Amino acid sequence: MFALLLFSPRRATFAQDSFGKPSAEPPNEERYVYKQIPDIPITTESGVENLSAIWREKPVLLTMVFSRCARACSPFLRSLSSSVSDAGGLGTDYRVVVLSFDPRDTVAEMEMMGRELGLGSNPDWIFGVAIPRDIRRLSTVTGFWFQWDESSSQFDHPSLVVAIDRGRLVRMLAGASVPSASLREVVQELRGKFVASYTLAGKVAFRCFEYDPNSGRYSLDWGLALMLLPGTCALLATAWVFFFRPSSRRRESLPRG
Amino acid sequence: MTAAAAEPGLWSEAELAKFRRMTLVWGITVLLLLPILALLGYFMRLYQSGAFSGLRAEWFYAVLTLHSLGMVGTWFVGSMAGVSYLLLKYARPSLAVSKFAYGGTLVGVVLLIACTLGGLFGTGWYFLYPLPLYAQGVWAPWATFTFFAALAILGVSWTIWTLDILRAIAQRYSLGAALGWNYVVGKPGHELPPLVLITTVSLIVSLSGLAAAVVVIALFGARALGVNVDPLLMKNLTFFFGHDLVNITMYLGVAMVYDLLPTYAGRPWNTNRVVAMAWGAVLFLVLFAFFHHLYMDFAQPTWIQKFGQICSYLLAVPAGVVSIFGTLALVYASRMRWTLASTFFFLGILGWGLGGIAAVIDSTVEVNFHFHNTLWVPAHFHTYYLMGVVLIILGFIDHAGKELSGLEEKASLSKLTTALLLIGGYGFLFMFYWGGVRSVPRRYAIYPQEVMQGTLYARVAVGFITLLLLGILLYLWETGKRCLKALG
């Protein structure tokens, strides 16, 4: 009871903490790719260790959730877990770190979250917490944000997984779920293979090509029609000039070749 | 006199005099812009050689933008004015449209100077999306707006000018006749001057390039309104526009050589089946060769890159080989009258060929991986521009100035001018090529420690550019005098 009295006001303050600018659009990977990830200490079941201790061994897939999340966190983690199984390579090519951004969360609560998802016993799934200042540093370089919603007593936040190789952010997947094909590409990249093309999150008008990560094939898109527009305009203008505009009265006077 | 050879009844003497005067105005404008834009290039090599260590690097990029767009624009209008003048023999381009294009060009140039030198707008000519919209505090939004306003005004003026010249051709030739289809199928038909054939092909391509610029500007507008546009599409369209405009300028220059060099060689250079087929192929191939600018964009499907390489290779044959072979055949064993103009025409074709070889090398995907971001790229385009089409257009202005003023050239000064331009020009180019081979990156204002050899090459280049500028000044003094006298 004493502990509850002692910590309640502070917890209430933490619960209302927000960070970053909320947006309906997912973070733009182009703005964050190759940024250096801060080497923050994280607390896990095995104690305190720096993130660098993990990524020095092998690349890391990092995601941020909170254990009291009643919305996207659990479905997102299930989707990530399923895609990780599909893509393979867990433990050999990379590990997954799930950090809480909610200062109320404890290591035990994060571990429990992992166990509920069937991931708790897997040593390559690391559930942990970090101090708020470090969470903010991490959020700054990954485009992550969280906004406390008083009415629902929940955080609003994007669902995001970032791939970290040798301390740098190399890829970012955003969305309510993690498509297996997209994660396979990320894993390929973490294995050091060159991935020539992938679709960025967010709406882009007039793409030239649509890339299908499942088949690795391109299909033509509406942007390519715009590429044909200049040539079409030139043909129409030429036709107008030669077939509709000229007076042909002088043509007969030309010398024969 | 070229214009005097116009078909009887096509022009009155008064009309011809007005058109010649307008051509001189265009020519003198080009001659005024040449030293200014050349000095901007001189400034950039000086900057790279460490001469302006106290000056912000943003100035380098603003000057780079003005120099590149200014040069491309100047030689485009120079070549357009040249073919308009030579077409007077066969067709009736509109003097009013030429004046309108001149006004539009002046306004566009003023706006370009304002946004670059006044506003430090420094994206390079390619203004790659979305860079103009992310100034990082270097330039103000007004500079971006002014830049696009300049592009729009230049684009509209030049499109109308292009349409007018095509209209003039269309009044005398059907489309099939203007493209020499009767030569291709071997049927008798109208005699087609190569000038008309090449100009028709070039201007149709030019229209597509200018239309691409309109689409790019419209999509930039859409981005400003919040629509995310595919950067790959924007880059394709931008290089479609830029590649076409640069190639068209060269083709129009070559058209002038087809028309004027025979008057110095004393032999005709007629359209035949090979020439008609070659330029017909150019009409198709040039529209697709621009893909070689996008080899680094690995998001583009591989088949497009391969297609770009094939088109680039094929394009070199009809335009380059046929014209170079034709030039050599025309000059060989002829009673060639070597003047400043005819020498420039000949050397211009040579420079175009050399730059073309360097371009074909760079259009090979495997080579491009190594050369793309090095000084090899400015090396090759300066070769076919500076030592190619620029010499041809300077040759044309000198030719016209002499014809219209009646003043003869001094042979010794012509030789000295040619020698200075050749030594200075090719020396300057060699330092670019050497830098490319030695991995010196392009578009660097200041070279980092890893490629510090670039600073030394820039210093050597500055010496050659000094000789080049002396040659330009000598040319301006002599040719400028003739043009001013002709202008009255």
Side-chain angles (χ1 to χ4, degrees), chain A residues 194 196 203-209 218 223 226-227 230 234 238 241-242 245-247 250-251 253-257, chain B residues 166-167 170-175 189-191 204 208 211-212 227-230 233 236-237 290 298-301 304:
Chain A
F194 178 61
K203 286 181 184 171
V204 174
F206 312 122
R207 286 185 198 278
C208 291
F209 307 99
Y218 293 89
L226 279 182
M227 279 301 299
T238 304
V241 163
F242 276 92
R245 276 275 312 148
S247 64
R250 286 182 176 274
R251 286 186 181 164
S253 65
L254 288 169
R256 311 291 291 185
Chain B
L166 274 180
R167 175 204 55 77
Q171 278 189 325
R172 304 297 310 281
Y173 302 88
S174 68
L175 182 60
H190 298 304
E191 189 182 308
I204 293 172
S208 67
V227 179
N228 273 327
V229 183
D230 184 6
L233 170 67
N236 269 294
L237 284 168
F290 83 95
F298 38 76
Q300 192 111 292
I304 286 191

Side-chain angles (χ1 to χ4, degrees), chain A residues 3-17 102-104 131-132:
Chain A
L4 196 66
L5 285 171
L6 190 66
F7 290 110
S8 287
R10 188 165 150 254
R11 284 183 173 184
T13 308
F14 278 144
Q16 290 166 25
D17 265 3
D102 183 351
R104 293 174 300 172
I131 61 170

Side-chain angles (χ1 to χ4, degrees), chain B residues 364-442:
Chain B
T364 309
V365 173
E366 285 297 318
V367 177
N368 192 270
F369 273 179
H370 300 282
F371 279 175
H372 183 81
N373 283 317
T374 71
L375 287 178
W376 186 274
V377 176
H380 89 261
F381 67 67
H382 277 90
T383 310
Y384 55 61
Y385 239 67
L386 175 63
M387 301 314 287
V389 72
V390 171
L391 281 186
I392 291 171
I393 295 170
L394 293 182
F396 164 74
I397 295 173
D398 186 70
H399 169 90
K402 262 184 294 202
E403 273 192 344
L404 300 177
S405 71
L407 287 179
E408 283 306 313
E409 68 185 60
K410 293 173 190 152
S412 56
L413 276 181
S414 296
K415 282 178 186 166
L416 180 61
T417 305
T418 307
L420 284 170
L421 289 178
L422 280 183
I423 296 168
Y426 277 106
F428 152 70
L429 291 172
F430 179 75
M431 297 321 295
F432 265 157
Y433 281 114
W434 188 243
V437 171
R438 298 294 308 277
S439 305
V440 177
R442 60 179 167 141

Side-chain angles (χ1 to χ4, degrees), chain B residues 48-50 440 446-447 451-460:
Chain B
Q48 289 174 322
S49 66
V440 177
I446 303 158
Y447 293 114
V451 284
M452 196 48 89
Q453 66 270 26
T455 308
L456 173 66
Y457 304 156
R459 285 177 187 155
V460 179

Side-chain angles (χ1 to χ4, degrees), chain B residues 110-164:
Chain B
V110 169
L111 292 179
L112 275 181
I113 292 171
C115 69
T116 51
L117 299 187
L120 283 185
F121 185 84
T123 60
W125 81 260
Y126 30 85
F127 54 97
L128 274 186
Y129 174 87
L131 183 59
L133 305 172
Y134 291 90
Q136 303 292 328
V138 176
W139 61 85
W142 72 262
T144 305
F145 178 80
T146 307
F147 176 77
F148 283 112
L151 281 192
I153 290 168
L154 292 171
V156 169
S157 311
W158 296 349
T159 302
I160 291 171
W161 198 11
T162 301
L163 281 170
D164 179 67

